[in-house]
Amino acid sequence: MAITKNLERQELDSTMSKRFIWAVAYGSSIGWGAFILPGDWLASSGTLGATLGITIGGILMLIIAVAYGALTAKFPVSGGEFAFTYAGFGKYFSFIASWFLVLGYICIVALNASAFSLLFKFVLPDVLEVGYLYTIAGWDVYIMEVILSTAVLVVFAYISSKGSVLSGNLQFIFCLFMGLVVAGLFATSFFVGDFSFENAQPVFNSENGVWTSIILIVAIAPWMYVGFDNIPQAAEEFKFPAEKTFKLIVFGIIASIFTYVAMILVTSWIFADQNAIDGAMWVTGSVVQTSMGTIGMVLLAFAITFGVFTGLNGFYLSSSRLIFALGRANFVPAIFAKVHPKNKTPYVAVWFVMIVTLAAPWLGRTALNWIVDMSSVGVSVAFLATSLVAVKFFSKGAERNMVYVVFGVLGAIISVVFLVLLLFPGSPAALTMPSMIALGAWIVLGIIFFMTQFKKINSMTKEELDYLILGQRNGNKLE
């Protein structure tokens, strides 16, 4: 292989265990959403509508995940979709898909930090509602919540830059605690408050109807379950065979489905009217506090805190590894591929993610919905690209596998449906104008990044790019 002699390929250490990788998938998928948003989902879709939407969304993610498991086994390098799409469709397509995915990951880092301040705003409003700044779309922004969210972003950037041993142990412990709390809250919900299955009315939102109630939840499934595709981003750091990837993804998604559904039911059936218990700002918190008292609220608060932490930890990992892989191949400035000499982490990429997300705390909670929509678009583009690569890779030659081809086709169709739901103006789940503006700004920024690197990328041979992106695994390249 005639590689330029001075071409250096930075590599990351293999330090990530199976339990860490499962915790990345589960903890990143759950994050804060399962504990903060059930009230919003019940309002828009009703109990059965939200439950069906989340379950259907999870099943669709399992279909898409087949391609991820198969391709990760073939290309166990940092970058995940970046490596897949490069191998399948070349450098330009891979940059487009990866840029959209970077958007999805960074948005979710920002979401988790903002959600943490929302928890404190509910539990300790007198502490956080200090230093009023302004109001955005009906949400008052205070300097104290900005400071808290900023501090969380900085702390987890530091943890992520220290290496996977520390972050991996924390991730696994936090995920176990979350699972136990959810199981405890669900079991307790049958014996507190005014529990009754009748309280789960309405099962669907009467104004939206059955179909729209379900679709509104299904449309954000890419955002809900995106944590499973954090796994391929870290494939280069596995200390176990990459062939085990798919099983870990499946376990992560199934655990996430149960967690989301459990918290929706807890929120729904304890009281007939959540508005009567002053649940305007955070319905689930109000329900738990009123029915289970201080102990229930403390457990919920810890679960949310750990959910935020696992989300931050997981998406700092995935976003930084993706940016690292882009930098290693010179698709973005090479400084992003720098590895810490002691910790062996892509620390420049980690701190870049932090700097970009520091804008989020200044936008208020209303911006969370805009960011959810944006991240769903970015992730859906990556899902579509990966599914198409699986169809191409496994449809011919020695790698021919029609099961993977069928799942790849289904994954591509599902991804297109997600994009239509989010981008078609007449769709019930269409992006709002602020989301469209922000998405447009990200696309412009991507064009600028690409143009600054275009000459360098174009000057590199395919052999050199294969080495930088795929490593030494030439036998796995597509023909």
Side-chain angles (χ1 to χ4, degrees), residues 245-309:
T245 300
F246 181 63
K247 288 183 179 179
L248 295 173
I249 291 175
V250 170
F251 294 152
I253 292 176
I254 291 175
S256 299
I257 292 172
F258 282 120
T259 300
Y260 279 123
V261 170
M263 291 311 301
I264 285 174
L265 295 178
V266 167
T267 305
S268 172
W269 61 27
I270 293 180
F271 293 108
D273 182 8
Q274 285 92 0
N275 292 326
I277 57 170
D278 192 24
M281 184 171 78
W282 178 25
V283 176
T284 302
S286 297
V287 166
V288 170
Q289 186 175 54
T290 304
S291 63
M292 303 182 194
T294 303
I295 294 177
M297 191 60 211
V298 168
L299 289 174
L300 180 61
F302 271 112
I304 297 169
T305 302
F306 290 164
V308 169
F309 289 175

Side-chain angles (χ1 to χ4, degrees), residues 390-391 393-406:
V391 172
F393 185 79
F394 294 107
S395 62
K396 59 183 180 180
E399 301 294 343
R400 181 179 172 85
N401 186 316
M402 292 311 297
V403 173
Y404 291 154
V405 171
V406 170

Side-chain angles (χ1 to χ4, degrees), residues 137 168 280 331 423:
F331 279 55
L423 298 176

